[in-house]
Amino acid sequence: MKLETFSKTWFSKQTKLYYDSTRTDQSSFKKLFNNFFDLPYELVFRNESYQSSLYNLLEKYYKNEEIVKAKFVSTNANCKRNFTFFEFPVKNSRIDIVSLGDKSFAYEVKTKYDTLDRLSKQLNDYLKCFEYVYVIISDDRLDEVAHMIPTEVGIYTFKDKSTTLNFRLIKKAELSSQMNFEYILDLFTKNYLKKYFLTENRNLILSKFSIQQINKYFKLMIVDKYKGKNVSY
């Protein structure tokens, strides 16, 4: 994993979150944590071996959403090959990972620290505008999650108690049959509608452009809007 993309703020936040938790013996981590804040910025965040040690401890003991996202995008073939970034808003939901190439992929991460209250709504929102949708969950939540997600949604799991994060494909996502192109057009700003369709009139766009064209421009719009934010913290 290329740790140089992680900022001082990101490392500080993840370390503080873990340090504040009380669910496991933290003696070795506390030692590193104290050293971490005693050392100057130049030595900590420009020292790859120190970053690796810190990240490995976070990965082993504190598999929260940010750690899971970071590891997934660095190991998943689609994410490595495609334009990939974090946190894309879809109406009142926010997709954890978006990956765009010939096809569009949306990934929602749910660790044991996350509530499942909104999961069904989130996934149904994503199926309206992305071709393939996945949920990434710890394996001990598989039974709980499996019955509450749409049939088209794919599933990746990871072992929360494992020392390292490895992902297992449990179910491959199916092409969404719920894609709604009026819904997709609502995700365009007026400027982007004019740029790609030369008009703000959604009814005119729906009458003149094919489903394939609208989907193509949707992906181009996202890349245009989020370029420079690819896999960054």
Side-chain angles (χ1 to χ4, degrees):
M1 161 162 262
K2 294 183 178 180
L3 295 172
E4 63 268 17
T5 59
F6 298 139
S7 68
K8 177 181 179 182
T9 302
W10 187 86
F11 269 114
S12 299
K13 178 182 177 183
Q14 300 313 311
T15 308
K16 179 71 164 57
L17 285 171
Y18 177 81
Y19 187 73
D20 285 344
S21 69
T22 58
R23 58 192 175 77
T24 189
D25 177 17
Q26 300 175 9
S27 57
S28 63
F29 194 91
K30 283 183 178 179
K31 182 178 179 181
L32 181 59
F33 180 91
N34 291 331
N35 290 339
F36 168 73
F37 282 104
D38 286 341
L39 291 172
Y41 172 86
E42 299 78 30
L43 295 180
V44 175
F45 296 101
R46 296 183 184 178
N47 186 310
E48 187 171 332
S49 62
Y50 192 91
Q51 288 187 10
S52 296
S53 297
L54 177 55
Y55 181 85
N56 288 340
L57 281 174
L58 290 168
E59 181 179 342
K60 181 177 180 180
Y61 293 113
Y62 188 53
K63 298 179 180 66
N64 71 346
E65 178 188 310
E66 296 296 322
I67 298 297
V68 172
K69 289 193 303 186
K71 185 62 176 283
F72 187 81
V73 299
S74 71
T75 57
N76 179 266
N78 278 334
C79 293
K80 291 170 69 176
R81 179 175 58 248
N82 295 338
F83 177 83
T84 302
F85 65 99
F86 305 124
E87 304 296 324
F88 178 70
V90 174
K91 297 298 178 78
N92 293 323
S93 300
R94 185 174 291 272
I95 304 173
D96 287 321
I97 304 169
V98 168
S99 187
L100 302 174
D102 293 336
K103 306 294 182 183
S104 58
F105 298 85
Y107 302 90
E108 180 66 22
V109 176
K110 293 295 182 186
T111 71
K112 68 180 183 180
Y113 305 103
D114 300 312
T115 177
L116 300 177
D117 292 347
R118 298 183 62 249
L119 179 60
S120 181
K121 180 188 182 303
Q122 288 174 305
L123 296 175
N124 278 297
D125 284 345
Y126 307 162
L127 286 167
K128 292 176 184 176
C129 49
F130 285 84
E131 292 161 285
Y132 297 94
V133 176
Y134 283 90
V135 62
I136 306 170
I137 55 173
S138 57
D139 58 354
D140 57 355
R141 303 192 85 170
L142 178 59
D143 291 340
E144 183 183 8
V145 168
H147 76 277
M148 62 189 300
I149 65 175
T151 57
E152 295 160 308
V153 173
I155 302 173
Y156 280 95
T157 64
F158 61 90
K159 293 184 180 297
D160 189 71
K161 295 180 180 179
S162 175
T163 56
T164 59
L165 267 170
N166 294 296
F167 300 94
R168 179 186 176 196
L169 177 62
I170 301 297
K171 178 180 177 291
K172 190 173 182 180
E174 301 171 16
L175 179 64
S176 174
S177 63
Q178 301 183 40
M179 292 188 74
N180 182 320
F181 292 94
E182 292 183 30
Y183 189 92
I184 287 175
L185 288 176
D186 284 342
L187 300 178
F188 282 74
T189 63
K190 289 182 179 180
N191 286 339
Y192 279 120
L193 286 173
K194 289 180 181 178
K195 177 174 181 177
Y196 290 105
F197 303 105
L198 305 180
T199 178
E200 298 176 25
N201 189 315
R202 288 167 172 75
N203 290 329
L204 181 61
I205 293 169
L206 290 167
S207 67
K208 291 184 63 175
F209 291 85
S210 69
I211 291 172
Q212 291 78 13
Q213 287 175 310
I214 293 174
N215 191 34
K216 175 184 176 181
Y217 290 140
F218 176 58
K219 287 184 280 191
L220 288 174
M221 180 273 289
I222 295 175
V223 173
D224 191 11
K225 185 175 182 179
Y226 285 86
K227 61 187 175 184
K229 300 180 180 180
N230 191 28
V231 190
S232 62
Y233 287 87

